[in-house]
Amino acid sequence: MNKSALQIERSKYQPKIPASINGATKLVEGKATESVADQADIKKLFPNTYGMPIVTFENGAGNATAKEFNVGIILSGGQAPGGHNVVSGIFDGIKKINANNKLYGFLGGPSGLVDHKYIELTSDIIDEYRNTGGFDIIGSGRTKLEEVEQFDKGIEICNKLGIKAVIIIGGDDSNTNACVLAEYYLQKKTGIQVIGCPKTIDGDLKNEMIETSFGFDTATKVYSEVIGNIERDANSAKKYWHFIKLMGRSASHVTLEAALQTQPNVTLIGEEVEAKNQTLDDVVTYIAQAVANRAAKGLNFGTVLVPEGLIEFIPAIKKLIAELNDMLAANQAEFDTVAADEKINYVVSKLSKENAELFKSLPTTVSTQLALERDPHGNVQVSLIETEQLLAEMVAKKLAAWKKEGKFVGKFATQHHFFGYEGRCAAPSNFDADYCYSLGRVAALLIASGKTGYMSSVRNTTKPAAEWLAGGIPITAMMNMEKRNGKMKPVIQKALVKLDGGPFKYFASKRDEWAIETAYVYPGPIQYFGPAEVADQPTKTLILEH
Ligand code: FBP
């Protein structure tokens, strides 16, 4: 592999780990757990993995196995910085337990397990990928593991390769699959353990015990760097309003964190739009008013941050999507046979009157995307909806009308951007490099301790790494029942932005000032070397939450 000077230097970085797992380690069991909601349903669906205790690793001689075992890993879903460090952490962890242990990587995501596509990850391969971004070591994919036939194919290959445990590194949907797999393998008495690792740049796989998903730190730092650069450009040229959409399919954490780092003029938070029952027009009016207020001061430039999932949070559109999902799930076969240019009419004919009217009133770019195929987990592919452009156009229209009424006196020229892929494979920040490597090491310990149906957990992450707490959380404890593809399913509860939480409250206390003033902050690029104040800082979200 060709490497830049930074990559060569960076490959020597030794990730920091919790002191509690650096040396002899014992497992301490806590109290039994309950699922976050729908306890009776979850218990019934997961009779073997429900109610297990939270476990913590402490210094001391333990009773984990030192016997030889092999492990298989799967990278699942969207890329997130630090994935390769989870892999190297697992590799080092299992080798430390027994030097003969082997690590296999299933290729291209969960389908690698089912189709028996794999490679053995040797130290030569692992060393090439330490502290690098991307998931290219084995590739990722979005195949959903939910059919018994798939699980059984997994058993075949695990038995063939002597794999004692499968580690699924993924988001909420993939970890839900990990839990279903763990339950099935227990029920079948296969002896194969399944462990999950919390990944997603979206930051929405978190709870009291999982403080953050990996990748969020690096991705938001990359976006904030670029947003800061745009703000500086806007403040230099003073002629454009920049509409910037940021990834984060179902939650606005990425947008909120970027706002906390860069202090733009307008930031939309989907969860607030929903709580205030706002319409698309309310959102447009809010932005237009901010533009008009700055124009009145002679400031015809600004920045607007838009979360990718905004459209889904607008209550009326949310109801429409729910009906669309049910309707498409029930009529998928027929829908697939409808000609492309007739699909919209077909959808309209099947919807309730109210939703059909709303659907017809939406700009075609939005309605087309809503009616198109879902991803394998049933999600609308919001990254394909150009919300930033749509909003800029709608604001322009409103301002033109206000101009005629004398309510707007300035100029309004726009640029749009979408940041998502720019950050998902960035070289992990020190935080993500340390956090991911630790998650991998902890996953290896969970396997050696015989655990299954657990997610690797590293907590206390606003403190120096040596003080981080390491352990495992039963995945069933994070679950509730939700409607997916028209049916109620057990899934890990998504963490949305809490409007009464520290990060949002701080943002809300500042945003009026940021709207009218030019209070931009330019964070600059991620620093991999240098003083801890610049190189080792966690996200503002994490700091304000703790
Ligand atoms: P995960 O939830 O799998 O981590 O992926 C998150 C994400 O980056 C979203 O922010 C985005 O909507 C989506 O992936 C895009 O995925 P794809 O590139 O597969 O269309």
Side-chain angles (χ1 to χ4, degrees):
M1 202 190 291
N2 298 324
K3 283 189 178 159
S4 67
L6 175 62
Q7 271 177 307
I8 294 166
E9 216 31 59
R10 186 65 178 159
S11 66
K12 298 175 199 157
Y13 178 75
Q14 181 53 53
K16 301 185 273 301
I17 60 170
S20 60
I21 58 165
N22 199 0
T25 303
K26 68 170 189 241
L27 177 135
V28 179
E29 294 204 340
K31 280 202 227 117
T33 53
E34 293 257 32
S35 61
V36 278
D38 308 313
Q39 290 84 5
D41 289 325
I42 305 289
K43 191 172 181 175
K44 205 162 146 208
L45 290 164
F46 296 90
N48 296 290
T49 49
Y50 188 86
M52 300 186 299
I54 289 174
V55 299
T56 313
F57 291 108
E58 292 180 6
N59 291 125
N63 53 2
T65 184
K67 276 197 218 142
E68 205 173 313
F69 63 84
N70 297 339
V71 171
I73 53 164
I74 296 171
L75 290 168
S76 182
Q79 284 68 248
H84 289 157
N85 272 29
V86 180
V87 178
S88 59
I90 297 168
F91 181 83
D92 293 350
I94 64 169
K95 290 285 181 191
K96 215 167 163 268
I97 292 162
N98 186 317
N100 294 325
N101 288 347
K102 285 189 187 148
L103 184 63
Y104 291 98
F106 290 107
L107 301 175
S111 63
L113 177 78
V114 179
D115 301 336
H116 299 182
K117 302 239 163 68
Y118 62 90
I119 51 164
E120 187 188 337
L121 293 165
T122 56
S123 59
D124 288 352
I125 301 177
I126 295 287
D127 288 348
E128 279 288 300
Y129 288 90
R130 288 183 193 272
N131 308 312
T132 60
F135 277 10
D136 42 320
I137 188 167
I138 48 172
S140 184
R142 289 198 184 275
T143 302
K144 197 169 160 61
L145 288 178
E146 58 176 355
E147 307 292 339
V148 164
E149 295 76 43
Q150 296 174 308
F151 305 163
D152 290 340
K153 293 293 278 178
I155 300 174
E156 267 174 38
I157 189 68
C158 288
N159 287 343
K160 183 178 157 204
L161 299 173
I163 288 178
K164 173 184 163 71
V166 176
I167 302 178
I168 299 185
I169 301 162
D172 51 343
D173 287 327
S174 311
N175 274 284
T176 296
N177 290 171
C179 197
V180 175
L181 201 61
E183 177 68 29
Y184 182 79
Y185 286 174
L186 263 184
Q187 183 203 321
K188 287 260 161 185
K189 300 192 172 38
T190 60
I192 304 167
Q193 300 158 237
V194 186
I195 299 293
C197 277
K199 170 237 71 169
T200 177
I201 60 154
D202 293 2
D204 55 5
L205 172 48
K206 64 175 168 183
N207 48 55
E208 267 178 43
M209 292 299 169
I210 303 293
E211 293 178 354
T212 185
S213 55
F214 77 76
F216 178 73
D217 185 90
T218 310
T220 53
K221 282 181 171 130
V222 172
Y223 305 144
S224 300
E225 177 204 348
V226 187
I227 294 165
N229 294 348
I230 288 176
E231 286 178 336
R232 202 146 208 172
D233 196 291
N235 196 19
S236 305
K238 303 197 192 297
K239 63 175 181 181
Y240 291 126
W241 271 85
H242 291 266
F243 282 67
I244 305 167
K245 182 175 78 166
L246 293 160
M247 262 194 183
R249 195 208 325 262
S250 312
S252 310
H253 299 291
V254 172
T255 299
L256 180 56
E257 173 63 25
L260 293 170
Q261 290 195 36
T262 62
Q263 307 189 176
N265 302 104
V266 177
T267 302
L268 304 172
I269 298 297
E271 290 81 344
E272 185 184 28
V273 168
E274 179 173 23
K276 289 187 169 166
N277 208 4
Q278 288 178 329
T279 60
L280 191 52
D281 186 59
D282 292 336
V283 173
V284 170
T285 305
Y286 173 67
I287 305 171
Q289 193 57 59
V291 174
N293 292 346
R294 275 176 68 82
K297 286 182 63 175
L299 303 169
N300 290 303
F301 64 95
T303 41
V304 182
L305 300 192
V306 183
E308 184 182 53
L310 180 76
I311 288 286
E312 280 193 284
F313 277 110
I314 295 174
I317 299 184
K318 194 173 187 166
K319 275 195 218 139
L320 164 67
I321 292 175
E323 194 186 342
L324 266 172
N325 285 349
D326 289 353
M327 188 277 286
L328 288 175
N331 299 286
Q332 194 65 55
E334 188 177 64
F335 181 72
D336 290 344
T337 64
V338 176
D341 56 352
E342 273 306 308
K343 283 202 191 295
I344 297 284
N345 289 339
Y346 175 86
V347 168
V348 168
S349 75
K350 294 277 177 189
L351 288 174
S352 64
K353 195 165 172 286
E354 190 191 358
N355 278 336
E357 286 307 316
L358 173 62
F359 187 77
K360 281 194 286 182
S361 75
L362 291 173
T364 332
T365 46
V366 178
S367 54
T368 312
Q369 215 30 259
L370 294 184
L372 285 181
E373 251 184 59
R374 301 296 184 256
D375 79 358
H377 295 277
N379 302 305
V380 175
Q381 306 205 38
V382 281
S383 61
L384 301 176
I385 302 178
E386 290 170 339
T387 333
E388 70 287 16
Q389 193 165 340
L390 170 76
L391 287 174
E393 282 166 14
M394 293 177 86
V395 170
K397 246 191 200 167
K398 186 155 296 260
L399 289 171
W402 284 1
K403 200 162 218 170
K404 283 191 193 139
E405 296 165 25
K407 280 171 30 188
F408 172 60
V409 288
K411 287 190 202 127
F412 183 63
T414 60
Q415 297 286 348
H416 4 95
H417 318 263
F418 168 37
F419 298 140
Y421 298 101
E422 292 79 354
R424 294 204 313 186
C425 281
S429 60
N430 284 352
F431 177 88
D432 270 328
D434 299 345
Y435 182 56
C436 291
Y437 185 79
S438 301
L439 285 172
R441 291 286 296 267
V442 173
L445 288 170
L446 286 168
I447 296 168
S449 311
K451 297 295 169 197
T452 188
Y454 276 78
M455 192 182 289
S456 174
S457 149
V458 171
R459 291 178 283 127
N460 214 20
T461 50
T462 49
K463 294 274 163 29
E467 294 169 41
W468 290 356
L469 303 173
I473 314 298
I475 302 178
T476 50
M478 305 171 200
M479 286 194 162
N480 66 170
M481 299 297 290
E482 281 174 30
K483 204 170 201 183
R484 293 291 167 92
N485 286 331
K487 287 195 195 117
M488 291 308 283
K489 294 259 174 166
V491 290
I492 293 178
Q493 194 175 58
K494 246 185 221 308
L496 300 179
V497 168
K498 287 192 181 136
L499 302 184
D500 58 355
F504 182 82
K505 274 165 67 181
Y506 177 80
F507 156 75
S509 72
K510 295 283 179 187
R511 66 173 151 192
D512 290 347
E513 182 194 324
W514 298 349
I516 191 77
E517 304 298 332
T518 303
Y520 304 152
V521 173
Y522 315 121
I526 293 178
Q527 300 297 307
Y528 297 100
F529 307 97
E533 303 82 73
V534 290
D536 288 336
Q537 283 306 304
T539 56
K540 293 200 182 288
T541 301
L542 208 47
I543 294 169
L544 289 164
E545 274 173 352
H546 295 269

